[in-house]
Amino acid sequence: MTLTTSSNNKNFTKLLKWAFLRNKSIMIIFSVIMAVGIIINLYILTRLSVNYDKPGFEKTCGNIGYFSIILAQTLSILFSIASVSQTFSFLHNKRSTDMFGAIPATRSTLYFSHLLGGAASIALPFIAGSLIICLASCRSFEFVLLNFLAILFGLISIAAVYSFSSLIAYCCGTARDMGLITFAANAIYIGVLAISWTVVTLMIPGLDFESILYAPVLTLFCPMGFAYFLDIYYYGGQTAAFVVTIIWSVLFTAAAVLLGNIAAKTRRMETAQNEFNIKWVPVVIKVGMSVLIGGFAGLITATSFASGFSTMYVFTFWYILAGFAAFIILHLIFSKGIKGKFLSSLFAYIGTTAAAIILLFVMSTGAGIDTYIPMQSNISSVTFGEQNYTYSEPENIQTVTEIHKIITDGLKKESGNQYYIGSSTNQGQWTREIDESDYDKYSTILNTPFNFRYNKNFGFTTTRNYNINLYNLSFYDSQRMTELLLKLYNSDEYKKQNKAFLFSETSHSEDSVQLAYYEYNGRLTYDYEYYNGTEDYTASDTVELKKDRAFLDGLYAALREDILADPDFFYENTNRYYYGTYRYFGDYFLNLSVYSSAGNTDTGTYDDYLYDVSPSRNLVLSVNLTKNYPRTIAYLEANGYKINNEKLSKGSLL
Amino acid sequence: MLEIKNVTKKFGDKTALEDLSFSIPDGSVFGLIGSNGSGKSTLLRIISGVFKPDGGSVEIDGECTFENPSAKEKIFFISDYPYFYNNSTVESLVNFYKVLYPTWNDEKFRRLCGMFPIGTKDRIVNMSKGMQRQAALMIALSVCPKYILLDEIFDGLDPVVRQLIKKLIMELVSENNTTVIIASHNLRELEDVCDHIGLIHKGGIVMEKDLDEAKLGIHRVQAVFDNELEEDVLNSLNVVNIKRQGRMMLLTIRGDGQAIEDTLRSQKPVYMEMLPLTLEEVFISEMEAVGYDINNILE
């Protein structure tokens, strides 16, 4: 027994080395490509090194390293499939099957030694190359971690792709079938999902690509996508999707290895150079491809040649017709004629097609997806509306869900509980001509993007993006909608995000702090349908404030208090072209602007990267001072800056 | 002892081997003969553990060979077309096999290198078919297996090498008590080296016996009789085949030679001679008996 075990281990090691060396040529090609990548990477880094003392340098280099490793992930996936084809070629050639079948090793030993030896031949160049890139590129722990994780994701992907392709290798009689089916299985899954999701998003309002991007279902049977989705989820902070995908990729790999071992033990070696060892593999591919082709044909014809609910019937007709034609053609290709497993394949195809059609008509009722709003207790924060700010205060979350409900109630009413392909982008009843007075009154609604992203407990995410115009004010409770939006946009959370420069905890660095009156120049440049691109206000009496630290800190403290107490913050301090500036401010308003070369104009926060990209000064804070800012006015006057009260805005629009 | 017990193997709807049973004693050289597609190579693949039988089992020394490395260590199989990777050399094969087979004998390998005109560092795929077989045989003999399975080993070899191989096989048997199983259509070569014969047809065993016994069990008689042989006499003999050329009769008869001779002499032949049968003639005779003869094929 001991002798046998020792002999098995010895044989395992020998076969592992053999499998590793069998991939010598693939390993060399992969290594050469990696080396070229490293040289290009180092060249770019050397060119960038002239900016080594700039704050954005670290981030630029780290990102170059990160994206280089993502490129290496792609190469490693492609080379993994080539390597599996080479490593397990003994399964697909009658003569080599004789050689390997007769050697004194169990089929499990053969399988595991070849799996590990082959995978190592791809993993080692990948690790070595990626580590060199990482060490050359990363100058901060943050990027070292990011790059290391990208390497880890690459390894997870190699393991998953290698084990899955090996399983397919044992199911197939030829290397050609193995390669085709490995790619087809991945492509069919993603393809069917993409077609299905496109159909659903065309039916049910609010759903779009983003709604499924963070759903781990995307990666369920797509091992070639594991690394990319892990990159996306980690980079995008999608904790739940990331954790689920990590766990799933490990489980998937383990299952593929387990099934591979079973396939190895039960393989009929005589299928080499011949037929499929596992008969249902081509059936799955045939049915999957037919569904994909049918779905594509149905989608194109339904969206091109039909409207209203008839799109459903047009889709169904072409889905069946094109799908069945594809099925017959694929069967002829796979079986070299109508024979063999035709009937069982046909039943599988009919069953899948029938299930898909039933599902399609179930979805036309909305299936609860159209009205789904997460329960407040499950929401940790929500990103919504103007500027896509994130709200985590329960009161604000409730406000957002209430806004969402007004939308879903309206959509439900309009659809009459019957969606069809194209109904999500065809909310005719929501649109109508609107007069100018209504526009001013409801400009908040009309300029709000109705994009909801619920960050739920345990890191899950639900998104709904409504591409609709809410111009038909009578179709929903527009009065209530406006109240809710203004409530949200005047909340502390909104204000703190809108004036991030003031409320962030980082120390400030200003190039210039200016106080200026803005005077109406007689050209009302914006109404709801016309903008001529010229300024309607001209700056005058600009004063450069002193950059004394204590003075500025005091000014910021006063501003913070005033902003939080300002009941009209939204009208006063958002994009003035949208909200009837002149009607609100009148002939004058006072503005305080802070510029910083290390700041981000859009977010008001500091961004090192910008320094590298655009070293010019950026506007990081702009506050329109009205009578709602008494503490700030008083502070400025106390510090010797005379404020003309006549030129402060009147402070009321509505 | 190699025992084949009720082995059945099917390829889809076709049955390659059906309930095949026989045993091969240790130290014998077993010639596996049969018609094309009779299942000879399939049987060798089952014995060596390449194919899993659909029914029955193959045991060597009481151990099943399928998925049993300790049993497979005792077997070496050279298929009808030995496989070599593109960059294989004899040297690289030695490195591969010497770890897998504990019975590997370096000294024997060196001796064989002197016998076969093969460069151990040359790429095997660039060699001729015959030389590839020699390379495979060098490896097989160096393993010193207890059971060696050779499929069409004499194909593509020149007469001198064939002689050498037969000599080496006999040497292996005498030195190691190795059991050799050779599947071949080259019955002339088998006749020289085999002591046992197994005849397979359509997946079943037609005959399995000692070669001499096989040869002795079937006889060819050339005779001329004054009168036609009576029906009763012919019926009393197990006549496999009768051919006539004028008055000359050529009879192939199964049974005891002496009894056959006595029976025919009792009919007072003008001329009678018992002719020796080659293995090929035994094969043809046996196959004719199961309906596999040229006349049937031509029909």
Side-chain angles (χ1 to χ4, degrees):
Chain A
M1 184 65 183
T2 313
L3 264 177
T4 308
T5 309
S6 151
S7 170
N8 276 342
N9 290 341
K10 197 175 61 181
N11 288 357
F12 177 84
T13 314
K14 179 69 198 171
L15 290 168
L16 189 140
K17 278 186 198 166
W18 171 267
F20 182 76
L21 293 174
R22 272 286 289 148
N23 283 283
K24 209 162 44 182
S25 50
I26 286 177
M27 202 161 49
I28 289 169
I29 297 169
F30 184 34
S31 302
V32 166
I33 295 174
M34 286 291 286
V36 170
I38 291 166
I39 291 166
I40 294 171
N41 192 273
L42 291 176
Y43 173 75
I44 295 169
L45 292 172
T46 312
R47 290 295 299 267
L48 284 173
S49 63
V50 291
N51 292 325
Y52 73 95
D53 56 341
K54 305 281 174 55
F57 182 62
E58 276 182 11
K59 190 168 182 174
T60 309
C61 293
N63 275 325
I64 287 171
Y66 181 64
F67 289 109
S68 300
I69 294 171
I70 289 178
L71 201 61
Q73 288 172 352
T74 309
L75 284 173
S76 69
I77 288 168
L78 296 176
F79 275 93
S80 290
I81 293 168
S83 167
V84 167
S85 167
Q86 173 99 321
T87 307
F88 291 95
S89 62
F90 71 89
L91 297 170
H92 306 132
N93 180 303
K94 284 183 189 300
R95 308 303 160 203
S96 58
T97 297
D98 287 342
M99 176 183 166
F100 279 91
I103 60 174
T106 61
R107 289 181 172 196
S108 293
T109 306
L110 263 179
Y111 167 68
F112 283 111
S113 58
H114 279 69
L115 181 72
L116 288 176
S121 70
I122 300 300
L124 290 179
F126 172 74
I127 293 171
S130 300
L131 277 178
I132 293 171
I133 290 171
C134 174
L135 293 174
S137 312
C138 300
R139 283 160 178 75
S140 68
F141 176 73
E142 179 198 352
F143 278 101
V144 170
L145 178 68
L146 187 66
N147 281 245
F148 262 67
L149 283 171
I151 296 172
L152 177 70
F153 302 156
L155 290 175
I156 287 173
S157 196
I158 289 171
V161 170
Y162 219 95
S163 53
F164 177 71
S165 308
S166 306
L167 168 64
I168 298 294
Y170 272 94
C171 294
C172 295
T174 65
R176 186 204 62 171
D177 285 344
M178 181 235 114
L180 282 177
I181 286 179
T182 303
F183 278 109
N186 282 275
I188 287 170
Y189 181 70
I190 286 290
V192 168
L193 217 58
I195 296 272
S196 311
W197 192 247
T198 305
V199 170
V200 171
T201 55
L202 286 171
M203 290 168 75
I204 300 175
L207 301 178
D208 63 5
F209 178 67
E210 194 192 358
S211 315
I212 198 173
L213 180 64
Y214 299 125
V217 69
L218 266 181
T219 60
L220 210 56
F221 294 107
C222 183
M224 286 169 81
F226 282 163
Y228 306 117
F229 284 107
L230 285 169
D231 290 328
I232 291 169
Y233 296 156
Y234 181 78
Y235 209 74
Q238 293 295 312
T239 317
F242 175 74
V243 172
V244 169
T245 307
I246 283 268
I247 293 170
W248 171 245
S249 57
V250 171
L251 288 177
F252 180 93
T253 306
V257 169
L258 194 72
L259 290 172
N261 188 32
I262 292 169
K265 283 180 171 175
T266 56
R267 180 177 168 83
R268 292 175 71 85
M269 286 297 197
E270 58 270 27
T271 53
Q273 275 178 278
N274 200 350
E275 54 190 327
F276 287 93
N277 183 49
I278 309 266
K279 304 290 184 197
W280 53 260
V281 169
V283 175
V284 170
I285 298 298
K286 271 186 287 185
V287 172
M289 282 295 284
S290 307
V291 167
L292 184 60
I293 292 166
F296 184 73
L299 187 60
I300 295 292
T301 48
T303 50
S304 305
F305 306 115
S307 61
F309 202 77
S310 66
T311 53
M312 301 290 281
Y313 302 120
V314 170
F315 177 91
T316 306
F317 175 77
W318 283 100
Y319 174 64
I320 293 171
L321 192 71
F324 186 70
F327 173 78
I328 296 293
I329 292 166
L330 286 165
H331 184 80
L332 290 173
I333 292 170
F334 275 108
S335 306
K336 300 175 184 73
I338 302 274
K339 59 177 183 182
K341 301 279 176 189
F342 178 71
L343 275 183
S344 53
S345 298
L346 186 64
F347 288 139
Y349 167 70
I350 291 171
T352 310
T353 301
I357 292 168
I358 291 167
L359 191 63
L360 177 74
F361 282 89
V362 168
M363 293 307 273
S364 74
T365 65
I369 300 170
D370 56 338
T371 53
Y372 174 71
I373 298 168
M375 287 177 53
Q376 192 167 353
S377 57
N378 285 339
I379 303 170
S380 57
S381 64
V382 58
T383 302
F384 166 73
E386 179 75 24
Q387 307 290 341
N388 260 337
Y389 290 151
T390 300
Y391 307 91
S392 49
E393 291 292 334
E395 192 185 352
N396 291 334
I397 291 172
Q398 192 184 353
T399 304
V400 174
T401 55
E402 204 176 325
I403 291 167
H404 194 168
K405 186 146 188 348
I406 291 173
I407 302 263
T408 56
D409 285 351
L411 286 167
K412 197 79 183 166
K413 191 169 86 179
E414 188 199 14
S415 70
N417 262 339
Q418 199 175 55
Y419 297 102
Y420 53 85
I421 296 167
S423 61
S424 71
T425 55
N426 191 26
Q427 286 90 18
Q429 295 190 59
W430 296 76
T431 309
R432 72 170 180 83
E433 287 298 310
I434 190 166
D435 61 43
E436 196 169 335
S437 60
D438 271 351
Y439 184 85
D440 274 350
K441 191 175 177 187
Y442 295 109
S443 63
T444 314
I445 297 175
L446 302 178
N447 290 290
T448 286
F450 286 92
N451 297 333
F452 301 82
R453 180 163 160 180
Y454 297 100
N455 302 308
K456 298 189 286 188
N457 296 335
F458 308 110
F460 290 99
T461 303
T462 296
T463 61
R464 293 289 184 273
N465 298 321
Y466 295 94
N467 300 313
I468 50 175
N469 295 315
L470 305 181
Y471 279 28
N472 190 341
L473 300 167
S474 62
F475 205 74
Y476 58 96
D477 190 347
S478 45
Q479 184 62 42
R480 178 66 183 152
M481 178 77 97
T482 301
E483 283 169 19
L484 290 167
L485 287 171
L486 286 175
K487 184 182 170 192
L488 188 73
Y489 294 161
N490 283 310
S491 68
D492 287 357
E493 272 188 304
Y494 181 92
K495 291 171 181 174
K496 285 177 181 175
Q497 290 175 91
N498 191 263
K499 302 299 171 201
F501 176 85
L502 279 177
F503 290 96
S504 69
E505 289 176 3
T506 52
S507 58
H508 295 117
S509 156
E510 302 86 351
D511 289 354
S512 170
V513 182
Q514 293 177 0
L515 196 60
Y517 292 101
Y518 278 75
E519 188 174 354
Y520 179 54
N521 58 24
R523 291 174 298 177
L524 184 60
T525 55
Y526 181 78
D527 60 34
Y528 74 99
E529 62 182 12
Y530 173 69
Y531 170 57
N532 65 9
T534 58
E535 290 288 339
D536 47 4
Y537 282 83
T538 308
S540 65
D541 303 333
T542 304
V543 176
E544 184 76 35
L545 301 187
K546 58 185 174 185
K547 283 189 279 180
D548 176 75
R549 187 73 268 150
F551 163 71
L552 288 175
D553 287 346
L555 177 64
Y556 295 157
L559 270 171
R560 280 194 288 267
E561 278 189 60
D562 281 340
I563 284 173
L564 291 177
D566 183 1
D568 297 324
F569 175 82
F570 181 65
Y571 283 130
E572 287 172 353
N573 277 297
T574 50
N575 192 332
R576 56 202 169 94
Y577 296 120
Y578 279 180
Y579 298 102
T581 313
Y582 181 73
R583 293 178 189 86
Y584 184 77
F585 287 121
D587 290 340
Y588 296 98
F589 65 86
L590 182 60
N591 175 268
L592 178 85
S593 298
V594 178
Y595 295 89
S596 170
S597 47
N600 187 324
T601 302
D602 295 331
T603 62
T605 51
Y606 290 106
D607 190 337
D608 288 347
Y609 185 60
L610 275 173
Y611 192 86
D612 190 43
V613 174
S614 168
S616 61
R617 64 182 199 167
N618 296 294
L619 178 67
V620 291
L621 177 69
S622 174
V623 185
N624 296 330
L625 302 175
T626 67
K627 287 170 183 168
N628 288 333
Y629 290 74
R631 296 168 192 82
T632 310
I633 303 291
Y635 183 81
L636 285 168
E637 286 190 323
N639 280 276
Y641 297 103
K642 179 69 183 156
I643 303 296
N644 183 351
N645 282 323
E646 295 301 313
K647 290 189 176 182
L648 289 179
S649 68
K650 60 181 178 179
S652 172
L653 171 70
L654 302 170
Chain B
M1 167 83 87
L2 192 152
E3 287 177 285
I4 293 154
K5 296 178 175 174
N6 309 105
V7 166
T8 298
K9 180 70 186 173
K10 291 181 178 175
F11 297 132
D13 301 332
K14 291 179 184 166
T15 303
L17 296 173
E18 190 161 22
D19 202 24
L20 196 72
S21 295
F22 61 90
S23 59
I24 302 170
D26 285 347
S28 64
V29 181
F30 190 91
L32 197 58
I33 57 177
S35 50
N36 288 327
S38 58
K40 301 184 297 294
S41 297
T42 301
L43 180 60
L44 291 189
R45 288 187 174 100
I46 288 173
I47 296 170
S48 60
V50 177
F51 287 175
K52 184 182 182 183
D54 294 317
S57 65
V58 174
E59 291 178 8
I60 56 168
D61 306 331
E63 281 186 294
C64 187
T65 57
F66 185 73
E67 279 290 81
N68 185 351
S70 66
K72 286 168 88 175
E73 275 177 356
K74 298 176 189 168
I75 306 171
F76 198 97
F77 171 47
I78 300 182
S79 65
D80 46 355
Y81 293 95
Y83 183 78
F84 306 100
Y85 281 116
N86 276 341
N87 50 359
S88 293
T89 61
V90 172
E91 210 167 60
S92 70
L93 285 182
V94 169
N95 288 332
F96 181 66
Y97 281 108
K98 72 190 294 186
V99 179
L100 297 175
Y101 288 91
T103 50
W104 176 269
N105 186 330
D106 269 325
E107 194 185 324
K108 180 144 195 171
F109 174 70
R110 278 194 294 274
R111 197 162 71 84
L112 290 167
C113 284
M115 291 181 189
F116 289 100
I118 289 174
T120 55
K121 292 184 193 309
D122 297 341
R123 283 176 72 193
I124 300 176
V125 287
N126 290 339
M127 296 176 184
S128 69
K129 184 181 167 189
M131 289 178 83
Q132 288 188 8
R133 281 186 196 284
Q134 290 174 50
L137 200 70
M138 278 167 71
I139 301 293
L141 295 173
S142 304
V143 164
C144 301
K146 194 169 176 203
Y147 297 87
I148 186 164
L149 316 178
L150 307 170
D151 197 357
E152 299 293 358
I153 192 66
F154 299 113
D155 268 15
L157 298 179
D158 66 58
V160 175
V161 176
R162 285 207 294 267
Q163 284 304 114
L164 175 63
I165 286 174
K166 283 187 276 187
K167 181 179 171 300
L168 289 169
I169 288 170
M170 298 315 292
E171 195 179 288
L172 190 70
V173 173
S174 61
E175 283 174 4
N176 291 4
N177 197 32
T178 297
T179 304
V180 183
I181 304 173
I182 308 172
S184 180
H185 291 292
N186 195 332
L187 305 185
R188 174 68 200 85
E189 305 296 345
L190 287 184
E191 200 168 3
D192 285 350
V193 74
C194 294
D195 51 22
H196 277 71
I197 284 292
L199 175 57
I200 301 180
H201 181 61
K202 289 184 178 173
I205 189 92
V206 175
M207 175 192 81
E208 183 272 311
K209 54 179 71 164
D210 187 280
L211 180 61
D212 292 335
E213 191 187 327
K215 282 182 170 181
L216 290 173
I218 192 157
H219 306 270
R220 181 173 289 176
V221 182
Q222 203 173 24
V224 178
F225 294 94
D226 280 335
N227 303 314
E228 262 308 291
L229 273 179
E230 286 176 15
E231 197 70 18
D232 290 352
V233 177
L234 286 173
N235 287 342
S236 69
L237 295 167
N238 188 359
V239 179
V240 176
N241 195 277
I242 302 176
K243 283 178 186 161
R244 294 178 209 282
Q245 230 175 353
R247 289 177 61 199
M248 177 81 78
M249 288 180 80
L250 191 63
L251 297 126
T252 308
I253 305 167
R254 204 189 298 272
D256 178 62
Q258 193 57 53
I260 292 167
E261 192 173 353
D262 292 347
T263 307
L264 290 175
R265 288 214 183 275
S266 68
Q267 298 302 306
K268 306 272 191 310
V270 177
Y271 162 78
M272 185 180 126
E273 188 180 6
M274 299 286 283
L275 298 173
L277 256 72
T278 63
L279 181 58
E280 189 161 317
E281 286 165 330
V282 172
F283 174 81
I284 291 169
S285 302
E286 292 289 351
M287 294 305 280
E288 279 174 354
V290 292
Y292 185 74
D293 66 62
I294 191 163
N295 293 326
N296 284 346
I297 292 168
L298 289 173
E299 278 168 14

